[in-house]
Every structure is written in structure tokens, then in C-alpha cells.
Amino acid sequence: MASQSEARLRDWSPADAWRGLNKPVFIPAVLIIVAGLIFATLWGASNGAEAFETLNSTIVETVGWWYVLIATGFVVFALWAGLSKAGNIRLGRDDEKPEFSLGSWFTMLFAAGMGIGLVFWGVAEPLWHFIAPPEVTGATGVGADGEIVNASETALSGTAMGQSIFHWGLHAWAIYVVIGLGLAYMTFRRGRPLSVRWLLEPIFGRKLIESWVGHVIDVVAIVGTVFGIVTSLGIGTQQIAAGLGFMGWIEDPANTVLLTIIVVVIMAIATFSVVTGVNKGLKWLSNFNMVLAALLALFVLIAGPTLFLLQAFVGNIGEYLMGFPQLMFETGASYVGGDEAGWSADWTIYYWGWWMSWAPFVGMFIARISRGRTIRQFVMGVLLAPTLVSILWFTIFGSSGIWFQMTEGVMVGEDGDIDTVGATFTLLEQLPLASITAVVAILVIAIFFVTSGDSGSLVTDVLAFGGRTDTPKLTRVFWTLFIAITAIVLLAAGGGEAADASLRVLQVASIAAAAPLSIVMVLAVIAQIKMFNYETATMPRYVRIRPTASKSALVDTARSASGGGDSTPGVHRNLRSILTGQRAALKGFLGGTSATLAGLDKPTSKESSISTPFAADDMVFAIQDVPAHSTVVNPETGTIGWDEDVAFTDPIGDQVFETPEFAESATGQQWESEQIYEEAVGNAETEPKPDTTEENTQR
């Protein structure tokens, strides 16, 4: 029976929606977002076009080093979780199967996690690194005249791809792993509500998590999520407008009114999708759009410089592997001949902030669709597969853009500037069927827009309801509209002067929102390490034990005892003698050890009729490692015992929740089984034993 907080809420009832909302989270989150919008509007109006450039520099100088440090730490944590013994833990009950097929699971997590961004930056970012590289790769030294000697175009084309993939590879997805893995474990394994606050229960305890501390954590998660989603929606809107301008359907792609109309239309579609739920609208849209995006990429691969791209794919993997150790701790890289730390601020630090602001949204969404998978499957799927797809995508689009620039010089303007928003359409213009592929690209961006909008609305709604997943459709629609309004206001805050001004506003919003979230994420890593260490320490190991020697060894021993001869009667006689002694030895050694091992005794006449499901010499035991410091020696018998309380401490044990999530989790199932066992044993001890006197007399 559901608890009061889990009672069914009617989809379109304002009273039910208000009753179910976690108001100490919902109200502050909405107010903070509104205050942020007011600040952005006033700041942009009073300080001009360069206002957000200055604000961005201030934020980066303050928290940039921190973002770089923890992002690399998240990669280390994700690899440890996936490759260590913790990887065997299942995100759910031990016998549970994944809810979604591998194909659907991958397309949903990828579409929600990076869809719009890859399409937007797939061509533009490598081009920017190609013409404006950082000094760490763009400069090879200083000439005799004191001038910087730049790297060759060939070298820059490789390092530009490595730097782009670095921003979209393991670091980005490791950030998502931190939140997604923690939520999946705490909800499906330990029965906690699907809310960011419960990630920190192993540190703060249930009492604080259910108090104002937990409310603050969820407020931070909602605010970060909204601004992270809005950043993606903003760049998606700009790129759709650029595509419409490329097709000649509009005159001014940077027009604020046009951008507003695009947001309204796309989010109206997202509203319909979010109402239908994950298993219908979102799943179908994700699968369809991944197929569409794959067809677009395949077309560019075939119609573009195919052989060059195939060679570049292998080379780009190498460039990423070389760039990874070079850039993972780089906090102050500057452009060749440019201002100090400019490159790191514009690219790496911005990306890490953007990914972190997206982490609650994408992490919770990935957690929802990952029930039943092991931690190893989760990490390898979320960390490695999208990284490989990102390498493939950047190779096809980014390397194509660089190739056309090196051979025909058409991707960069005469003033040395790049049309960031329209770079994808500039590339498609160099290929056949440009008018068709441009429409396909616009459609891909629009659907990625929809999947990001509706899944983001769903996740913020779950957070606002304290972790319950069956939220009313009314509040899902509210969040969709609220996110759309936020995107419109931030796009307008740039002044409508240029797409770059609006993009800078969006960047500032995501980086600033990530600052408090970064602290929550670091604490979440500590909490997960604590939980995984506990679970792996108490995890039973299943081994095959042979209590006797093999048959061939027994026969060899019997033959040796008969003098080495091949006399069959003698070998048989010795073998029977050995087996008789073996039975006695096993009985003496194992028979009285425990009730479990006593089963090795020869069965009685009543027991002999019961068939055993396994051979006598082929049994499976569950073995649990016991720390040496918890063992004790009984002074009367000399036997070894242990103190379980000294050996292991469950950071969140002895807590029972009257929720469906708890009842369906591994911990909930274990708790229920223990209750049944205690009841059965208690009844057996209190029931009077049957009087067998009369029966024995009759015998």
C-alpha cells in the first residue's frame, strides 16, 4: 500500500499537483531562476554588449581551476567504479534484467546527453581550434627574431580534432556518470527516492537529508538543470534559425522575435512528448532521431572526402589519446599570441561547467532508464560508447570542415572569423543535395531540441516532487513552459545584436549554475566510494569446491598401494578401502562443523529417497571475506569467531521507507525476507512439539 506521499495524483488537478509538490524545493528554485533572469536582463541592459564577457572572465578566474581538477577526478572515479569489484553490483535486485534493450537505452541516453551540442559544435569547434589554437599545441617555438613560430596546417588539423574530442569524450560522460550512477544505485539498489539529495545520505544521514540540507541540494540541482538545458536549447534555436536562413526562408537569423517563435514552436512539441512519457514519445523520438542523424553522417562520409575521413578516424583517436594527458590538468592555456588563459576559459572550463549543469538532468534521466544493469555495464555503456560515437561524429563533420578549409578555403570568412552558428550548413553547402541535407539537419536539431526539452522537464518535475516518478502531467507542462520562457529571456539578454552575444549569455548561465553543483558532485563521489566499498566488502563470492581428490588421483593412489601392478581386484579393493576412509575422514572433519555441512553425512533411510540437485563432490558455497581485525578466539573452545558490527558498518542501514521504490529494491526485498524468516523461526520455537510417546510405544 502506498504511503500518503505516494498516493495517486491526478494529472490535471492543480490541487493534487500543489499537494504533491515538495514546496521547500519548488518555490525557492523557481524564485532563484526568476531572480537570475531579472539580473541577466538588467545587467545586459545597463552594461552593454561586453557585459557578459566581463562576467564570464570573472567566474572563470574564480572557479576554473576547480572545474578542471574535479572533472579529471570524475574520470578516475568512473573508471574505478567500472573496472573494480564494484562493477559487479547490479543496479536493482540481483535477479533483475534491464528495463530497456541495449539499442534503445543507448539512443535515449545519447540523445538526451549531447544531441544538440554535437550538431552545433561538430563543424565549428574543430575549425576554431584549427585557426585559433592554444599555445600548448599551436606554437612550436620562438624564432631568432623573437616571433612565435606556429605549427604547420597538417599538425594543427590533427591537434584541433584531439582538442575537440577531449571536450566531448571521457570527461564529459564521466561527469554524467557521477550523478547517474549514484542515483541508479541509491534508488534501484537501496530503495531511496529518485532525487539528488539522497546521493549524500551516506555522508549526512537520513535526518539531515530530509531536512533543509536536502532541500538545498535539490534546489541547487533544479537551478543547475534548468540553466544547463536552457544553454542547449538556446544554441539549438540559433542553429535552427541559421538553417532557415541558409535555405533562404528568413532574412535575419539573429532576430530575437524569430528565435522566440522557434522556442515556442519546438517547446510546444516537447510539451506533447513529455505528457506521453518516457516509454512512448521520448523513446520513439530518440530512436528515430538517432537513425536520422546516422543517415546524415553517413551521407557526409560518402559524399565528402571519404578516404581522408577514414584515415582521419584512426588518427583522431591517437590525437585524443595524446591530447588527454596534455590537457586534463590545463587551466591557463592561452591562444597563440593571445591573452593569458583565454583558450581554457573559452573552451575547457566552459564545457566542464556546461556538463556539470547538465549532470542532474542527464544523470537522473540515464538512471531512470538503466535499472537492472550492473555498474560495469552502466559505466562502460555511458562512458565509452558515447565517446566513440563523439569521435566518429567529429571525424565526419569536423575533419570534413577542416579539409574543405585547407583545400578550398571556404569555411572561414575573409576576416578570419567563423560563422559558429551556421558552420554546419556551410559544410553541407559544399556537398551534393545541400537543400535536402540542410532540411534533414534542421529536423535533427529540432528533434534533439524536443528530446532535451521534454526529458529536462520530466527530470526537474521529479526533483520538485521529492523523487517520485509518477508526477502529474500538469507540472510537467509547467516546467516545459518555464524552461521555454527562461531560454527566451536569456537569448534576449544578449541584446539581439549578434548570435555570439546571446551565446555568451548562455555560457555564463551554465558556468555560474555549475559552481554549487560541483560541490554536491564531489560529495556524491565520496558517498559512492563509501557505499561501494561497503557493498564489495559484504558481497558474497561463489566458488566451486571439490571436497575429495579427483577420480583419476584416487585410482592412481589405489594402484600405487597395490604395488604398482595392474591387478584389477587389488586396485578395486584398495580403491574401496580409500573411499571408506575418505568418507570417515569427511564425516569427522565436516559432519559436526555446522548444520549446513552436516549434509555431507551419508543420508538416512528416510533421506535416501530424496534426490539431491547436485553431485556430492560438486557444491557451490557463498563465501564472504572477513577482516582480520574483527576476528576473535573463543577462550573455552579455541575456535575462531567474528564480530559483524566491528567488521562492517552500513552507512545507511536500519532505515525503512514506505514507498514503492523501497519495496522493489534489493534492500527492500532483503528486509522483507528477513521479516518472513524471523516470523517463521519465531512461530516454530513457540509451537509445542508433538507428543511421540504413543507412536514410539506402538512401534
Side-chain angles (χ1 to χ4, degrees):
M1 181 177 178
S3 64
Q4 181 64 26
S5 61
E6 291 289 337
R8 172 66 181 170
L9 300 177
R10 291 170 293 177
D11 282 326
W12 303 106
S13 170
D16 279 15
W18 183 252
R19 174 171 57 85
L21 280 169
N22 190 359
K23 286 172 274 295
V25 171
F26 174 78
I27 295 175
V30 171
L31 292 178
I32 291 173
I33 294 170
V34 171
L37 297 180
I38 294 174
F39 170 78
T41 303
L42 296 178
W43 180 266
S46 61
N47 294 279
E50 300 298 322
F52 290 95
E53 195 76 39
T54 304
L55 185 59
N56 181 71
S57 300
T58 302
I59 297 174
V60 166
E61 291 172 1
T62 304
V63 300
W65 66 272
W66 169 249
Y67 285 5
V68 171
L69 177 64
I70 62 174
T72 298
F74 294 157
V75 175
V76 175
F77 163 74
L79 292 174
W80 168 80
L83 300 177
S84 68
K85 190 178 178 182
N88 297 324
I89 301 171
R90 188 167 295 277
L91 301 174
R93 300 187 300 271
D94 291 333
D95 59 347
E96 202 160 357
K97 302 299 181 184
E99 182 179 0
F100 295 98
S101 67
L102 186 62
S104 294
W105 177 64
F106 175 70
T107 55
M108 283 193 289
L109 73 88
F110 191 80
M114 294 210 170
I116 291 179
L118 274 181
V119 179
F120 185 87
W121 289 111
V123 179
E125 182 176 351
L127 279 173
W128 274 114
H129 297 326
F130 178 66
I131 68 167
E135 280 189 347
V136 291
T137 58
T140 59
V142 180
D145 57 357
E147 295 293 326
I148 295 176
V149 179
N150 294 334
S152 66
E153 277 195 344
T154 302
L156 289 176
S157 67
T159 57
M161 295 304 302
Q163 290 151 11
S164 300
I165 297 168
F166 173 74
H167 293 141
W168 294 80
L170 296 179
H171 279 76
W173 289 93
I175 290 172
Y176 293 160
V177 165
V178 169
I179 299 294
L181 178 59
L183 287 173
Y185 175 82
M186 293 299 292
T187 299
F188 304 136
R189 184 86 185 161
R190 303 308 298 262
R192 272 48 179 175
L194 187 64
S195 184
V196 175
R197 69 171 67 194
W198 293 102
L199 290 177
L200 307 189
E201 185 191 359
I203 296 176
F204 294 115
R206 178 176 179 177
K207 185 175 180 180
L208 278 179
I209 288 300
E210 291 180 334
S211 69
W212 66 269
V213 174
H215 300 333
V216 170
I217 294 170
D218 279 351
V219 168
V220 167
I222 289 178
V223 173
T225 297
V226 169
F227 283 116
I229 296 169
V230 166
T231 301
S232 293
L233 300 188
I235 66 174
T237 301
Q238 291 176 327
Q239 197 167 31
I240 291 174
L244 297 176
F246 172 80
M247 297 298 296
W249 296 343
I250 59 172
E251 294 183 1
D252 182 14
N255 183 273
T256 303
V257 176
L258 172 67
L259 296 178
T260 300
I261 293 174
I262 294 174
V263 172
V264 171
V265 172
I266 297 298
M267 291 306 282
I269 302 174
T271 301
F272 172 78
S273 177
V274 77
V275 166
T276 61
V278 175
N279 289 298
K280 296 180 182 178
L282 186 54
K283 179 181 177 181
W284 184 88
L285 281 174
S286 298
N287 291 339
F288 172 76
N289 209 37
M290 286 299 291
V291 172
L292 205 60
L295 291 175
L296 179 63
L298 184 62
F299 173 81
V300 175
L301 175 63
I302 296 174
T306 306
L307 182 59
F308 172 79
L309 296 180
L310 293 176
Q311 294 172 335
F313 178 72
V314 179
N316 290 342
I317 295 176
E319 291 289 350
Y320 175 48
L321 295 177
M322 289 189 294
F324 187 91
Q326 185 180 33
L327 298 174
M328 64 181 181
F329 289 118
E330 183 62 65
T331 61
S334 59
Y335 292 102
V336 173
D339 296 334
E340 185 178 353
W343 187 87
S344 293
D346 287 346
W347 295 103
T348 305
I349 295 171
Y350 156 63
Y351 272 125
W352 294 174
W354 190 15
W355 301 150
M356 279 188 277
S357 65
W358 262 53
F361 150 51
V362 179
M364 184 176 296
F365 181 74
I366 295 174
R368 274 201 74 190
I369 63 176
S370 300
R371 179 167 192 151
R373 301 192 180 276
T374 65
I375 288 180
R376 182 167 295 112
Q377 291 171 339
F378 183 97
V379 171
M380 294 301 107
V382 174
L383 199 63
L384 299 183
T387 297
L388 290 175
V389 172
S390 297
I391 295 174
L392 182 61
W393 185 274
F394 271 103
T395 296
I396 293 175
F397 288 89
S399 293
S400 292
I402 291 177
W403 187 85
F404 279 110
Q405 175 59 27
M406 293 175 64
T407 58
E408 302 180 22
V410 295
M411 300 301 297
V412 180
E414 295 181 358
D415 57 354
D417 200 13
I418 296 173
D419 181 8
T420 302
V421 177
T424 299
F425 299 100
T426 304
L427 171 65
L428 295 177
E429 191 177 14
Q430 314 310 312
L431 304 173
L433 306 175
S435 59
I436 297 176
T437 55
V439 173
V440 173
I442 293 173
L443 185 59
V444 169
I445 297 166
I447 297 178
F448 275 139
F449 197 146
V450 171
T451 56
S452 296
D454 62 5
S455 53
S457 301
L458 190 61
V459 166
T460 50
D461 206 30
V462 170
L463 287 170
F465 276 88
R468 66 177 297 159
T469 55
D470 57 334
T471 58
K473 294 178 181 179
L474 179 63
T475 49
R476 297 184 196 177
V477 172
F478 165 80
W479 284 111
T480 306
L481 297 176
F482 191 52
I483 289 171
I485 294 171
T486 304
I488 292 169
V489 172
L490 288 182
L491 285 170
E497 300 176 12
D500 289 343
S502 296
L503 183 60
R504 180 61 73 187
V505 176
L506 298 171
Q507 290 176 337
V508 170
S510 62
I511 293 176
L517 266 174
S518 65
I519 300 174
V520 173
M521 293 181 68
V522 170
L523 292 176
V525 168
I526 296 173
Q528 288 177 69
I529 292 174
K530 195 173 184 180
M531 292 305 306
F532 295 162
N533 283 337
Y534 164 78
E535 184 128 2
T536 54
T538 58
M539 183 187 300
R541 291 188 298 130
Y542 295 94
V543 297
R544 182 175 182 265
I545 297 178
R546 183 189 296 277
T548 66
S550 66
K551 294 179 181 178
S552 60
L554 290 172
V555 171
D556 288 342
T557 302
R559 185 178 291 115
S560 176
S562 62
D566 292 329
S567 171
T568 300
V571 172
H572 285 186
R573 184 170 54 253
N574 288 334
L575 183 59
R576 284 192 294 269
S577 177
I578 291 172
L579 290 174
T580 301
Q582 172 186 270
R583 187 179 298 111
L586 287 174
K587 181 178 181 181
F589 183 71
L590 298 175
T593 303
S594 70
T596 303
L597 298 180
L600 294 172
D601 281 348
K602 183 177 180 180
T604 63
S605 57
K606 286 186 178 181
E607 296 169 338
S608 61
S609 61
I610 303 175
S611 60
T612 58
F614 51 84
D617 64 343
D618 190 8
M619 291 175 289
V620 175
F621 290 83
I623 297 178
Q624 179 180 328
D625 295 326
V626 176
H629 70 270
S630 67
T631 59
V632 293
V633 177
N634 189 314
E636 297 180 359
T637 63
T639 56
I640 299 177
W642 70 299
D643 188 336
E644 185 173 3
D645 293 333
V646 173
F648 309 113
T649 301
D650 187 345
I652 56 174
D654 302 326
Q655 298 293 331
V656 177
F657 291 75
E658 295 181 1
T659 60
E661 291 87 358
F662 186 83
E664 295 174 3
S665 67
T667 300
Q669 187 182 54
Q670 178 182 351
W671 179 84
E672 183 181 10
S673 299
E674 290 175 354
Q675 301 307 305
I676 295 173
Y677 177 85
E678 293 296 334
E679 291 176 3
V681 172
N683 292 337
E685 292 177 351
T686 57
E687 290 176 357
K689 295 182 179 180
D691 187 0
T692 58
T693 305
E694 181 178 353
E695 180 183 354
N696 293 335
T697 302
Q698 291 175 353
R699 288 179 182 175

